[in-house]
Amino acid sequence: MTYLEMDSGQRIRYKLIEGRPGAPFLVFLHEGLGCIPMWREFPEKLCRRTGCPGLVYDRNGYGGSSPLKGARTIHYLHDYALNELPRVLDALIPDRPFVLVGHSDGGSIALIYGAEQNPLLMGIITEAAHVFVEEKTIAGIREADRAFEAGRLKGLAKYHGEKTPGIFKAWSDTWRRDGFKYWNLEYLLPSITCPLLAIQGRDDQYGSPGQVDSIVENTSGPAQGIMAADCGHIPHLEQPETILKSMSRFIAGIQEG
């Protein structure tokens, strides 16, 4: 893996995946506690199946990237979408068309970015993205917080090292703030005009089908939703073949169109 030195002094760990010349890049945006290795082999499999090259990276604070410098604000997803992501794209895949593939926090980041209507953005795929806060979401985060305090999430240290406590609490504390219950992205959905595929597991412990419904109903471009059966919060790992087929079909449609 390689590192991108940012103008802020932070560095971003990234990985490029080879693909067919001229095909759009698939840009993978990880979840709120994720990083490159936590995708496992899924990015490579999707790139191989579609022929598209890929870009996977650790956002600031995660995995092999630099630690967070300051306290996280309730605007942290906007910061990643409107400040960090454009710089990563400009530095690593300048002037190349791309599709965003975002999981959970990464899906919300993809939606925020999509509202900016970059002409190089050919489509968006979200998995378990949030556009508003539900009690179900907060209950799931409270349970994760209890598990972390009890030492049941020690495996995260394999991926984030000494940054693990800081990045976990940045995630859980932000979502559990009293004021964060008013956080909402639905206002920007009509500004998304590119093709969109929204995926969620029927048994997702962090969100209801209302998240997918809102995304599909409120975006302005062609949009479709999939509720994956026998699946929780991580569809690409829990139902990999189903998700690979759905995403591949969507990406093929974009290229044909």
Side-chain angles (χ1 to χ4, degrees):
M1 295 189 193
T2 319
Y3 294 88
L4 170 65
E5 299 294 333
M6 304 288 277
D7 52 15
S8 61
Q10 303 289 87
R11 70 175 191 167
I12 298 293
R13 181 175 70 171
Y14 70 93
K15 177 180 180 181
L16 293 173
I17 303 169
E18 292 185 358
R20 189 177 66 253
F25 264 84
L26 306 183
V27 180
F28 295 85
L29 306 173
H30 62 72
E31 63 180 300
L33 296 175
C35 62
I36 296 171
M38 291 177 72
W39 282 102
R40 300 185 192 174
E41 298 83 21
F42 186 81
E44 287 82 357
K45 288 181 178 179
L46 185 60
C47 288
R48 188 161 56 245
R49 188 168 295 202
T50 60
C52 294
L55 166 61
V56 198
Y57 73 96
D58 296 338
R59 293 192 295 277
N60 183 40
Y62 296 87
S65 292
S66 298
L68 292 176
K69 276 188 173 180
R72 178 174 277 180
T73 76
I74 62 171
H75 306 296
Y76 80 101
L77 292 170
H78 283 74
D79 289 339
Y80 281 128
L82 303 180
N83 295 317
E84 181 181 270
L85 177 56
R87 287 180 170 86
V88 170
L89 296 173
D90 288 346
L92 299 179
I93 55 169
D95 303 319
R96 292 292 301 270
F98 60 94
V99 176
L100 295 177
V101 183
H103 175 221
S104 194
D105 268 17
S108 300
I109 290 167
L111 295 172
I112 296 168
Y113 182 89
E116 298 296 292
Q117 300 182 359
N118 183 339
L120 292 172
L121 176 60
M122 297 182 65
I124 295 172
I125 300 174
T126 66
E127 284 188 280
H130 289 92
V131 292
F132 57 90
V133 179
E134 300 178 89
E135 179 52 39
K136 181 177 187 179
T137 311
I138 304 307
I141 292 171
R142 288 195 195 105
E143 180 57 34
D145 198 62
R146 287 191 288 269
F148 185 81
E149 294 296 338
R152 298 198 300 273
L153 298 180
K154 291 179 179 178
L156 287 172
K158 173 184 176 182
Y159 302 103
H160 304 294
E162 62 184 16
K163 296 189 293 291
T164 303
I167 202 62
F168 183 89
K169 286 300 183 181
W171 170 72
S172 67
D173 288 355
T174 301
W175 278 82
R176 291 188 299 114
R177 287 185 195 178
D178 288 340
F180 199 75
K181 64 184 176 182
Y182 302 107
W183 176 90
N184 193 296
L185 296 181
E186 290 173 301
Y187 76 95
L188 58 74
L189 295 178
S191 295
I192 298 174
T193 57
C194 66
L196 185 143
L197 173 63
I199 300 171
Q200 187 167 310
R202 291 190 183 278
D203 304 318
D204 190 336
Q205 66 270 38
Y206 293 108
S208 75
Q211 302 285 346
V212 167
D213 292 343
S214 181
I215 294 168
V216 172
E217 292 169 8
N218 291 310
T219 50
S220 297
Q224 55 184 300
I226 294 176
M227 295 300 299
D230 302 315
C231 183
H233 189 61
I234 315 178
H236 64 273
L237 297 185
E238 297 176 53
Q239 294 290 346
E241 188 56 33
T242 297
I243 302 308
L244 280 169
K245 285 181 180 178
S246 298
M247 290 188 181
S248 298
R249 189 180 307 118
F250 174 78
I251 293 165
I254 290 174
Q255 296 185 83
E256 291 169 2

